[in-house]
Amino acid sequence: MISSFYEKIVGSSSQESNIPKILCVGLTCLDIVQTCKRFPKEDSDLSSVEHRWQRGGNASNTCTVLSLLGDSCEFFGWLSSKEHFNFLQNDMQKYKIDFSHCPLTEDYSCPVSTVILSLSSGSRTIIHHNPNLPETALEKFKELNLLEKFKKLNLLDYSWIHFEGRNTTETISMIQYVEAFNHSLIKETPNNSQFKNLPKDVPITISVELEKPKSSLLDLLPYADVAFISKDFAKSRGYNNMSETLKHMSLEAKSGATIICAWGDRGAMARTPHGIMVQSPAYPPLRIVDTLGAGDTFNAAVLHHLNKVKTIFIEREKIIQAIPENSDEILNLNIGSKHEIKYNHNIESLEYCKTKFITQATLQEAITFGCHIAGAKVGIRGYDGLNKVFGNKSEMVIS
Ligand SMILES: Nc1ncnc2c1ncn2[C@@H]1O[C@H](COP(=O)(O)OP(=O)(O)OP(=O)(O)O)[C@@H](O)[C@H]1O
Ligand SMILES: *[C@@H]1O[C@H](CO)[C@@H](O)[C@H](O)[C@H]1NC(C)=O
Ligand SMILES: *[C@@H]1O[C@H](CO)[C@@H](O)[C@H](O)[C@H]1NC(C)=O
Ligand SMILES: *[C@@H]1O[C@H](CO)[C@@H](O)[C@H](O)[C@H]1NC(C)=O
Ligand SMILES: *[C@@H]1O[C@H](CO)[C@@H](O)[C@H](O)[C@H]1NC(C)=O
Ligand SMILES: *[C@@H]1O[C@H](CO)[C@@H](O)[C@H](O)[C@H]1NC(C)=O
């Protein structure tokens, strides 16, 4: 239903490429993955069943999956021309991930994760090393400041920015910059219904992933429209399940935030801006092959779905503005909830773009879709082939 409506308003087809870009801010690293029959004993000598190198890092993995789902997406994070980074950049190119605005420095060597996958338990054990940028390098050039580079982005290109919660101070300063951009949009919106620029000049939705069990990440919560809370983070706060996590986290989030929590084979749960809980079971594959990046896959699938819903929502608002009389056809469309349509819209507020597109129904669809795609992912090695899974699942979930 959504896609046929979408075709009506944009004229031709519901090409995913019409949907504005998603930017993921975070880290890319080299993953060295050893698949073993079981997790090794300390000080033992074990042969692995298989080994591979792959591009990793949460934001970078999320981009891979977004790209496979047909979104245009960009990665923003430190790169260097040092060894291994060539491999990472070539791989991003292969997956059509834009990385053209990344800060680049010779002083940065590649972060590396060593990962042990256990076939007997399905666990993934990660040892991560991130060589921090030397302070001297940071002081040398203003260019090397992540925020300065971030400010060079043309924010009109993005409808959504996802932050992998890492350095809290740095992340907040980037979010504040986005906030200022949002405000400038509101000021520049013409006084009288000139909505022709609306699809591009859309306020940016911010999502944040609280992944590492570091309590300082909590400071990011009040800035997020959509927050992903990992089970590792939840456990570090002493929560035992998803509903407890959502209940407590919503107290720290900004009002109107959407909070999402995934929990391995228990699936995922989320809380709408109005405090309604939705839940999806996991969809395990016949055989668990590779759980590395399941969380990143889930996040990407949810972002994909919500960004699509947002785009359609904004297109609809545009049509409603353009058609003065009530049209039954538009009123009956099952996107978002009817009572939120404002016919005499106050364009100065731009309020409707906030998170009104996230309703109980759209959030339910998003996490169900996330669990389907993440479930499919744990059944395959790496990410290749997810686009085919998506081909089968997309119709089901969208309609
Ligand atoms: N064993 C599993 N069986 C089925 N689905 C799974 C399994 N593990 C993960 N998933 C799916 O992946 C989603 C994300 O899981 P979770 O957040 O536990 O991943 P994660 O351990 O953080 O992954 P990673 O850290 O490697 O990115 C779950 O909501 C679920 O849908
Ligand atoms: C990515 O996320 C997983 C959990 O989802 C975490 O265990 C892993 O360490 C993260 N990787 C990096 C490079 O931060
Ligand atoms: C965060 O980044 C700033 C520079 O932007 C740096 O000064 C600070 O040490 C970093 N903090 C951590 C915990 O890495
Ligand atoms: C940008 O504007 C949108 C819509 O008003 C809002 O939902 C979002 O929170 C704003 N983001 C920031 C970082 O201010
Ligand atoms: C909008 O129009 C009203 C009346 O037409 C005017 O008083 C007001 O200053 C205008 N606002 C802006 C931001 O131009
Ligand atoms: C979640 O955990 C809390 C605290 O441990 C417990 O009281 C509650 O019953 C649990 N809820 C579910 C659905 O398991």
Side-chain angles (χ1 to χ4, degrees):
M1 182 174 226
I2 284 185
S3 54
S4 64
F5 170 65
Y6 193 82
E7 274 167 33
K8 265 179 220 153
I9 43 179
V10 295
S12 54
S13 72
S14 58
Q15 284 291 308
E16 309 260 343
S17 55
N18 289 341
I19 297 177
K21 241 193 224 179
I22 300 176
L23 179 72
C24 297
V25 180
L27 185 104
T28 184
C29 67
L30 182 67
D31 279 354
I32 300 168
V33 185
Q34 297 267 15
T35 307
C36 302
K37 287 209 174 103
R38 55 185 163 75
F39 189 79
K41 282 204 181 70
E42 187 176 344
D43 204 17
S44 67
D45 183 339
L46 180 73
S47 293
S48 69
V49 177
E50 187 210 50
H51 118 281
R52 66 182 194 262
W53 282 30
Q54 66 185 29
R55 175 171 49 84
N58 292 149
S60 157
N61 290 340
T62 301
C63 280
T64 302
V65 177
L66 282 172
S67 191
L68 288 171
L69 297 182
D71 284 309
S72 96
C73 72
E74 177 170 346
F75 170 80
F76 182 84
W78 287 104
L79 293 179
S80 141
S81 50
K82 281 203 172 171
E83 58 174 347
H84 305 319
F85 270 108
N86 259 344
F87 166 72
L88 300 182
Q89 294 180 37
N90 290 339
D91 194 64
M92 283 202 242
Q93 236 150 20
K94 184 176 141 199
Y95 284 91
K96 301 197 177 68
I97 299 165
D98 183 0
F99 55 90
S100 58
H101 299 102
C102 289
L104 191 72
T105 168
E106 295 292 330
D107 296 310
Y108 186 43
S109 46
C110 191
V112 177
S113 284
T114 308
V115 183
I116 300 170
L117 295 179
S118 156
L119 287 174
S120 63
S121 70
S123 70
R124 90 284 179 275
T125 306
I126 304 172
I127 305 168
H128 187 63
H129 181 72
N130 185 7
N132 279 321
L133 270 172
E135 290 295 327
T136 50
L138 286 171
E139 285 158 13
K140 233 179 350 189
F141 301 108
K142 211 180 170 202
E143 261 298 278
L144 288 184
N145 184 313
L146 200 58
L147 177 64
E148 291 305 315
K149 265 300 214 191
F150 189 81
K151 286 182 177 172
K152 298 218 157 82
L153 297 171
N154 180 6
L155 292 183
L156 286 175
D157 290 346
Y158 311 102
S159 85
W160 198 297
I161 303 185
H162 175 70
F163 290 92
E164 167 187 345
R166 299 196 68 83
N167 182 320
T168 313
T169 349
E170 230 167 39
T171 307
I172 291 178
S173 63
M174 289 185 270
I175 294 178
Q176 279 166 342
Y177 180 70
V178 177
E179 201 164 46
F181 165 82
N182 270 355
H183 285 308
S184 76
L185 280 186
I186 295 171
K187 277 203 215 87
E188 283 162 17
T189 304
N191 214 346
N192 274 317
S193 70
Q194 289 310 308
F195 263 73
K196 58 178 190 289
N197 293 328
L198 192 59
K200 274 213 118 203
D201 301 1
V202 161
I204 294 171
T205 307
I206 296 276
S207 58
V208 172
E209 179 191 19
L210 306 190
E211 208 281 319
K212 297 254 173 302
K214 284 201 306 192
S215 58
S216 65
L217 291 181
L218 266 187
D219 296 343
L220 294 174
L221 209 47
Y223 296 87
D225 297 315
V226 175
F228 292 94
I229 315 286
S230 79
K231 69 172 180 298
D232 288 353
F233 186 85
K235 283 182 183 163
S236 77
R237 309 293 305 162
Y239 310 139
N240 293 316
N241 53 45
M242 296 182 275
S243 51
E244 196 188 3
T245 306
L246 294 176
K247 202 176 82 195
H248 286 92
M249 287 294 121
S250 65
L251 300 175
E252 320 239 5
K254 78 174 172 194
S255 72
T258 298
I259 307 182
I260 301 169
C261 181
W263 208 290
D265 58 9
R266 290 193 214 165
M269 210 170 180
R271 189 181 184 278
T272 69
H274 296 105
I276 300 165
M277 300 284 202
V278 294
Q279 185 166 16
S280 166
Y283 295 93
L286 289 176
R287 198 165 70 91
I288 293 183
V289 173
D290 175 10
T291 54
L292 179 66
D296 300 330
T297 304
F298 172 82
N299 295 351
V302 170
L303 290 178
H304 166 83
H305 189 84
L306 293 180
N307 190 49
K308 191 163 171 174
V309 170
K310 175 182 175 181
T311 310
I312 294 165
F313 187 90
I314 284 162
E315 289 289 348
R316 184 193 59 175
E317 290 287 325
K318 189 182 136 200
I319 295 297
I320 289 167
Q321 290 299 318
I323 305 172
E325 310 97 298
N326 292 0
S327 151
D328 286 347
E329 196 189 354
I330 287 179
L331 267 179
N332 287 332
L333 285 161
N334 185 23
I335 316 164
S337 42
K338 280 187 231 166
H339 63 270
E340 279 166 358
I341 299 172
K342 295 180 197 162
Y343 283 94
N344 295 314
H345 204 79
N346 171 10
I347 42 175
E348 277 202 24
S349 84
L350 283 184
E351 270 289 301
Y352 63 89
C353 293
K354 264 208 161 98
T355 43
K356 283 215 177 129
F357 57 95
I358 303 181
T359 62
Q360 182 179 355
T362 56
L363 191 59
Q364 176 70 63
E365 281 172 2
I367 63 167
T368 305
F369 181 63
C371 285
H372 269 295
I373 298 290
K377 190 266 152 291
V378 302
I380 61 178
R381 178 178 170 279
Y383 303 94
D384 289 340
L386 275 185
N387 41 345
K388 295 199 193 90
V389 175
F390 170 62
N392 298 335
K393 290 281 178 281
S394 60
E395 289 312 313
M396 183 205 79
V397 178
I398 301 297
S399 60

